[in-house]
Amino acid sequence: MSSKPDASRPRAADTKKVHIADTQMTRHNWYKHVNWLNVAFIIGVPISGCIQAFWVPLQLKTAIWAVIYYFFTGLGITAGYHRLWAHCSYSATLPMRIWLALVGGGAVEGSIRWWARDHRAHHRYTDTDKDPYSVRKGLLYSHLGWMIMKQNPKRIGRTDITDLNEDPVVVWQHRNYIKVVLGMGLIFPMLVSGLGWGDWYGGFVYAGILRIFFVQQATFCVNSLAHWLGDQPFDDRNSPRDHIITALVTLGEGYHNFHHEFPSDYRNAIEWHQYDPTKWTIWTCKQLGLAYDLKQFRSNEIEKGRVQQLQKKIDQKRAKLDWGTPLDQLPVMEWDDYVEQTKNGRGLISIAGVVHDVTDFIKDHPGGKAMIKSGLGKDATAMFNGGVYYHSNGAHNLLSTMRVGVIRGGGEVEIWKRAQKENSEYVRDETGQRIIRAGQQVTKMPEPIPTADAA
């Protein structure tokens, strides 16, 4: 009798096979990492179209039709795949959904179900390893590499696509995707050119193959260029950016920083001067009764995000500036010691109970040496705040960098009251530093003091 297999040892069939994407690429196995089917469709077919274009003359009517169909199929992706199905930013009637599914398929970028599933993962896991086309892996990878190199599907973040599985248009297009691609990607544009003005071959090459290439590259720019070029007016914690060039290339998808902050908004561009033909297409369809329930974030929430980002940038700039030693960190000086040090040649001046060392500034004082010297060793509060000259905000800021101490007695109580106020009432930036606004410097008196003892 044969011996029974040892139950403690795993069977060969139970051993998990390592996905090729999780292995190191070498010069001996690089070809195993390449998704050759996608290479053929995304790179090979366009190259064949470029070669054929050398022998196929481009007619004006065909060129116009290719551009028109480029916009149709591009909008199938931006208004359909992206804003309707991936983000549910508006609702559409059945005829419009069917049309968007057809022309979107004509862009040859995968089925709605596959495209929207990956895009939702991209939003949920932006810039992480679970992002299917993370720009952190390189600009070229986010543009093209993620499709022509094999990816382990288990590494892509999970998303909920229950709504897509329940949409009959999405389900139909997914099941018949190859037919849709051939019909709307190549046959339909060729039929229009052929039946319309007899340019069958030109319709196939220019309105078919090359048009597919350009619309694909435009869409890929949303994954790459929109995460690399431009500004971040709403949040800079992740890579999405806003830029007019990306918007022009992608039919309005270039305001990507806004989009990642407010993904369910049917708009990408919120300013009248920003280019977003997809937004206007959806709005027009609403007027025609084809679209409804257009979603918009409240302007109050949008502006809150903008202000928060502006404040963050201001805080970053503020942190690089010298605001002077905080009051509660200054040493306490006796009045007699303050006067004695001044007599010994140190240029000290007391304003609002704070002692400042202006020794090196005397020669640069805009009002002249005599004026500033007249306040040395004295209480120059009145003189500085209007008694002799009502100093500017810039003067108060400059003075704060010269703090060296606080006078004991007299104004000390008021100084510490001010310090407590700074700790309790003053606004602080995100790093916890006090924000000293114009006119709120400790040396700034609420009302100008009419006289000053400058003797």
Side-chain angles (χ1 to χ4, degrees):
M1 295 179 63
S2 60
S3 59
K4 295 182 180 181
D6 186 356
S8 64
R9 298 180 62 185
R11 298 179 181 178
D14 294 335
T15 304
K16 292 184 178 181
K17 185 177 179 181
V18 179
H19 194 278
I20 186 65
D22 296 330
T23 64
Q24 185 177 4
M25 185 187 300
T26 67
R27 61 190 181 91
H28 299 292
N29 72 351
W30 65 269
Y31 62 92
K32 295 181 180 180
H33 286 260
V34 178
N35 188 326
W36 292 106
L37 181 62
N38 282 355
V39 169
F41 281 112
I42 298 172
I43 299 177
V45 173
I47 290 177
S48 71
C50 291
I51 295 173
Q52 294 177 71
F54 280 102
W55 291 276
V56 180
L58 176 59
Q59 297 183 23
L60 178 60
K61 292 181 180 179
T62 303
I64 294 173
W65 164 236
V67 172
I68 292 173
Y69 199 50
Y70 167 87
F71 275 89
F72 280 162
T73 52
L75 288 169
I77 297 296
T78 60
Y81 278 40
H82 188 208
R83 303 192 196 185
L84 175 61
W85 282 297
H87 293 298
C88 305
S89 63
Y90 70 100
S91 300
T93 60
L94 181 61
M96 183 175 177
R97 283 160 48 218
I98 292 174
W99 171 247
L100 289 173
L102 290 173
V103 293
V108 193
E109 296 182 15
S111 69
I112 298 168
R113 185 178 182 275
W114 174 85
W115 197 101
R117 181 249 178 267
D118 270 13
H119 191 71
R120 289 180 181 182
H122 166 66
H123 271 262
R124 185 177 181 183
Y125 303 102
T126 304
D127 298 338
T128 69
D129 289 338
K130 293 183 179 182
D131 182 348
Y133 27 86
S134 172
V135 76
R136 303 296 186 198
K137 298 178 181 179
L139 187 65
L140 185 60
Y141 179 87
S142 63
H143 186 80
L144 201 62
W146 68 280
M147 284 179 294
I148 64 175
M149 305 303 293
K150 292 179 180 177
Q151 288 196 75
N152 185 349
K154 294 182 179 180
R155 298 287 182 185
I156 300 174
R158 294 182 178 181
T159 57
D160 181 12
I161 55 171
T162 305
D163 57 318
L164 301 179
N165 293 332
E166 295 174 352
D167 188 324
V169 175
V170 174
V171 173
W172 173 84
Q173 195 232 36
H174 185 72
R175 290 176 177 173
N176 298 277
Y177 179 66
I178 300 300
K179 296 177 183 178
V180 173
V181 165
L182 294 174
M184 297 301 294
L186 298 171
I187 296 175
F188 177 69
M190 181 177 64
L191 283 174
V192 172
S193 297
L195 296 175
W197 48 91
D199 189 13
W200 295 88
Y201 206 1
F204 177 77
V205 172
Y206 295 106
I209 295 177
L210 295 183
R211 187 265 320 159
I212 289 173
F213 170 72
F214 283 111
V215 77
Q216 284 180 343
Q217 295 304 311
T219 305
F220 299 162
C221 284
V222 181
N223 303 332
S224 57
L225 205 61
H227 286 260
W228 177 72
L229 177 67
D231 301 321
Q232 296 177 297
F234 297 98
D235 194 4
D236 63 359
R237 291 176 298 171
N238 292 319
S239 60
R241 299 170 182 273
D242 290 358
H243 203 283
I244 180 60
I245 291 179
T246 316
L248 291 172
V249 171
T250 60
L251 301 184
E253 303 281 20
Y255 302 101
H256 214 50
N257 193 252
F258 172 85
H259 173 63
H260 267 254
E261 284 298 294
F262 312 104
S264 63
D265 197 309
Y266 87 97
R267 309 163 299 171
N268 259 210
I270 57 174
E271 306 295 343
W272 67 269
H273 55 83
Q274 293 176 324
Y275 179 77
D276 187 0
T278 302
K279 171 186 70 175
W280 292 113
T281 298
I282 296 171
W283 181 86
T284 301
C285 288
K286 177 187 178 183
Q287 310 311 308
L288 297 174
L290 297 172
Y292 56 97
D293 191 23
L294 276 58
K295 296 182 176 65
Q296 293 185 37
F297 262 81
R298 290 191 300 163
S299 59
N300 181 71
E301 307 312 307
I302 294 173
E303 289 308 309
K304 278 161 62 175
R306 197 197 303 272
V307 169
Q308 287 171 330
Q309 182 62 14
L310 286 172
Q311 187 64 58
K312 185 176 183 179
K313 291 180 179 179
I314 291 173
D315 290 346
Q316 291 170 351
K317 184 174 291 187
R318 179 187 291 110
K320 299 177 182 179
L321 303 176
D322 178 10
W323 296 92
T325 305
L327 295 178
D328 53 4
Q329 296 179 22
L330 292 172
V332 177
M333 298 178 64
E334 301 293 340
W335 178 264
D336 292 341
D337 183 34
Y338 159 66
V339 174
E340 185 65 25
Q341 289 191 42
T342 305
K343 289 180 179 180
N344 291 334
R346 193 177 181 190
L348 299 182
I349 191 168
S350 173
I351 300 175
V354 182
V355 179
H356 307 82
D357 190 339
V358 297
T359 305
D360 297 331
F361 182 69
I362 292 175
K363 64 181 185 301
D364 299 320
H365 184 235
K369 296 180 182 179
M371 187 67 69
I372 193 170
K373 283 184 176 180
S374 66
L376 298 180
K378 301 176 182 177
D379 183 354
T381 306
M383 180 196 309
F384 194 76
N385 282 277
V388 172
Y389 186 79
Y390 193 58
H391 283 76
S392 67
N393 185 70
H396 285 274
N397 283 336
L398 179 61
L399 191 65
S400 69
T401 65
M402 304 177 189
R403 296 172 182 168
V404 293
V406 175
I407 295 295
R408 183 186 299 279
E412 182 192 3
V413 174
E414 292 303 315
I415 291 304
W416 292 115
K417 282 183 179 179
R418 286 169 179 263
Q420 293 300 316
K421 181 179 181 181
E422 286 187 350
N423 286 325
S424 62
E425 297 181 11
Y426 276 30
V427 178
R428 295 175 180 270
D429 64 23
E430 61 177 12
T431 65
Q433 299 299 316
R434 289 189 292 266
I435 297 175
I436 308 300
R437 305 195 188 282
Q440 292 183 344
Q441 296 91 339
V442 66
T443 51
K444 181 80 172 179
M445 296 292 102
E447 295 292 337
I449 300 176
T451 60
D453 180 10

